[in-house]
Amino acid sequence: MVMSGVKCTGNEMALSQCQHHKTVSCQKAAAKFAAGVICSETASDLIPNAPLVQQTVYIEDRPLHMLYCAAEEDCLSKSAAKANWPYGHRRLLRFSSEIRNIGRADFKPKAGRHSWVWHSCHG
């Protein structure tokens, strides 16, 4: 352990800018509260546009027969399997979203294109 009692606000550009204890504590009980960090010169920083979500949010009752693709792609909750297909409906929370990257690196999901699955519903 290099640092203990670390407290960050989220605006720091380096771990050393966080508040931390001057002395390192390696108590046996502290191990369950330990964490690891991977440092990088650049990182993505995704910020959702919360006002846009708030302005566009609405609830929609969607007939199940319009959700076959979502069901086939496993995008519905587990309770959807118990629904009265195709005559029932699901209540959906719908909204628009906009996410900006204000970090110093491109956002690259861990799963690359090689792990994507093509599905006939959406092509």
Side-chain angles (χ1 to χ4, degrees):
M1 206 180 294
V2 177
M3 298 169 72
S4 68
V6 178
K7 182 178 179 184
C8 300
T9 63
N11 298 322
E12 298 85 357
M13 294 303 289
L15 188 60
S16 60
Q17 294 175 344
C18 298
Q19 292 178 353
H20 61 279
H21 294 155
K22 297 294 180 200
T23 57
V24 176
S25 171
C26 294
Q27 300 168 2
K28 188 174 183 179
K32 66 180 178 181
F33 299 108
V37 176
I38 297 173
C39 298
S40 172
E41 291 295 320
T42 61
S44 58
D45 189 2
L46 304 179
I47 303 293
N49 182 343
L52 178 64
V53 173
Q54 292 171 349
Q55 292 166 2
T56 61
V57 70
Y58 64 98
I59 293 177
E60 176 184 20
D61 287 333
R62 196 103 197 233
L64 286 175
H65 72 272
M66 295 178 70
L67 297 173
Y68 275 112
C69 282
E72 286 183 22
E73 294 173 353
D74 202 22
C75 293
L76 298 177
S77 67
K78 301 278 186 241
S79 64
K82 300 172 190 168
N84 184 21
W85 284 87
Y87 306 107
H89 72 278
R90 300 295 291 171
R91 180 157 286 173
L92 307 174
L93 180 66
R94 308 293 298 257
F95 53 89
S96 296
S97 66
E98 175 185 83
I99 300 173
R100 296 180 316 161
N101 179 1
I102 63 168
R104 294 186 287 168
D106 292 337
F107 173 68
K108 296 181 181 177
K110 290 182 180 181
R113 289 184 180 263
H114 64 280
S115 64
W116 295 6
V117 177
W118 183 88
H119 195 278
S120 59
C121 277
H122 294 114

